[in-house]
Every structure is written in C-alpha cells, then in structure tokens.
Amino acid sequence: MKRRFQKIAALMLVGAMAGTLVTGCGGSSSGSSSESSSDSKEASDSSSSNSNGAAEVTLWHYFEHEAPDLEAVAEKYNESQDKIHVTCTYVSREELMNQYTIGAVSGELPDIGMVDSPDMESYISLGVFEDITDDIKDWDELDQFYDGPLSSCMDADGKYYGLPNNSNCLTFAVTWTS
C-alpha cells in the first residue's frame, strides 16, 4: 500500500513538474545546487523516509541548466505537504544511462527517473521502470498527451512505464541553390 501511494504521488509530481517546466522555464542560472553524479549511486529504498517521517521519493534527472527550476518545483511541492519528500539528483545524461543499467542489476534505482523517449524501450526491457498501467488507467488527464510521446512510454503489450515530460520536434532544413 505504501509503495502504491508513493507511485501515485510520484506520478502526480511528474505531471506537475512537466507542466511547470513546459510553461515556466525561460532562463536559468549558470550555477546549480544539484548533487554531483557521484551522489547518483545513492538510490532510494521504497520504504525510506526522511527525518520528518515523510516518504522519500528520489528523482534522477539530466536537466543541467534547468536543475534550479526543477529543484524549486520539488521544494515548493515538499513545502506544500508533509507526506512525501522529493529529492532531486542531477546526473549527466551519459552517466545517468550508465546508472540505470547498473541500477537494473543492483536493484538501486530512483523512484522517478528521466530518460529520452528513444531509450525508453531498452530500459523497459531491462526492467528499469515499473508498470504503472493500473495506476493511471482511470486518470482523466492521459488524453492530454500527444500519441507519439505517450506511445514511447509503453511496451509492445500497451502497458505504461512512464509519462512524457515534454516533446520536441526535430527537423531537417533543406536549402535550394540554383
């Protein structure tokens, strides 16, 4: 029951952070108070709690320049309630992908993890991410995601293992010369 509560809280937090980052991130400061990649090896135990008794939810991310904004969202969330405490850990993208692989073997993974959509399928197959289908099947906001990014969070059986944080459109520009 406690793990289910943590998963639901984590999903709500991811949705809130996604909305905030999409709408609220303009500039960023050059410094970051994020933890270093060496700290990323400290993954959460699903039953851990902080000194205030709140369940600890860890988030690994690679938002280098947006880290202060993400941490501010997490801090605001932490201050708004006392049941869940979110701890953000910045890890470079390259190191983060290594940590997921190591974590899949060692069982030391965060509660929430960021990954690029093209990499999602391989991490689902490694067992890095947990099936959250039952937790979100009745969520009435699921239709707010674009089909492409949402489908990248699913396995071949249509089970969900994450939610898109944002979406981008990559394109090639063609120039014509005479």
Side-chain angles (χ1 to χ4, degrees):
M1 181 67 175
K2 185 175 181 180
R3 179 72 177 148
R4 182 171 170 76
F5 178 73
Q6 281 182 307
K7 282 174 40 180
I8 291 169
L11 288 170
M12 291 177 5
L13 178 64
V14 167
M17 287 191 294
T20 302
L21 288 172
V22 169
T23 59
C25 288
S28 64
S29 62
S30 58
S32 172
S33 62
S34 301
E35 299 174 33
S36 69
S37 63
S38 64
D39 294 332
S40 68
K41 294 177 182 151
E42 297 176 14
S44 76
D45 174 3
S46 64
S47 63
S48 66
S49 61
N50 68 11
S51 61
N52 296 332
E56 187 72 26
V57 173
T58 57
L59 166 71
W60 290 357
H61 68 91
Y62 54 83
F63 279 160
E64 181 177 7
H65 300 291
E66 297 88 351
D69 297 322
L70 180 63
E71 291 171 4
V73 170
E75 186 61 30
K76 187 173 182 180
Y77 177 80
N78 291 340
E79 291 171 357
S80 74
Q81 47 76 49
D82 61 1
K83 294 185 182 347
I84 301 287
H85 184 270
V86 178
T87 301
C88 299
T89 301
Y90 166 78
V91 185
S92 71
R93 185 180 184 288
E94 296 78 20
E95 183 63 23
L96 184 59
M97 300 304 109
N98 292 334
Q99 289 301 317
Y100 286 140
T101 304
I102 294 167
V105 174
S106 69
E108 295 182 5
L109 291 165
D111 297 299
I112 305 171
M114 182 178 288
V115 65
D116 275 349
S117 57
D119 299 326
M120 190 72 178
E121 183 178 356
S122 63
Y123 288 108
I124 290 171
S125 67
L126 278 173
V128 170
F129 298 113
E130 189 171 335
D131 178 1
I132 60 169
T133 306
D134 289 340
D135 298 310
I136 64 172
K137 67 181 177 190
D138 296 327
W139 186 38
D140 58 354
E141 298 291 319
L142 202 54
D143 64 347
Q144 298 298 307
F145 293 96
Y146 289 115
D147 291 336
L150 187 58
S151 69
S152 73
C153 298
M154 298 165 58
D155 68 6
D157 296 325
K159 294 179 182 174
Y160 293 95
Y161 290 83
L163 293 171
N165 178 45
N166 57 32
S167 182
N168 62 355
C169 179
L170 302 176
T171 185
F172 292 100
V174 178
T175 58
W176 296 97
T177 59
S178 42

